[in-house]
Amino acid sequence: MELHHRSGVALAQAELAFGRNAELRDAARRIVRDQQQEIKQFQRWLKSNPAGVTN
């Protein structure tokens, strides 16, 4: 899931670098912001729930 979000960030960053449409650039900014927050959330969850640990 993290790779999926990182790919979305990369595509949005390409839009910010090369896009000219203001509406799409605004959407790209939101995508970068939101996806980066979700990546951090995934990383925190993985850190607190390591693989192989059973409850």
Side-chain angles (χ1 to χ4, degrees):
M1 196 67 175
E2 185 177 337
L3 179 59
H4 168 79
H5 280 62
R6 287 188 184 280
S7 297
V9 169
L11 290 171
Q13 287 172 332
E15 177 61 33
L16 291 172
F18 302 108
R20 297 194 192 318
N21 181 292
E23 188 175 344
L24 292 177
R25 290 176 55 80
D26 287 341
R29 282 187 198 92
R30 288 190 304 274
I31 289 168
V32 169
R33 180 196 65 212
D34 295 347
Q35 297 293 303
Q36 286 177 336
Q37 288 174 353
E38 290 183 13
I39 290 168
K40 288 177 186 175
Q41 182 181 3
F42 294 143
Q43 290 171 338
R44 284 191 304 270
W45 186 90
L46 287 171
K47 187 175 182 178
S48 64
N49 297 279
V53 175
T54 58
N55 293 330

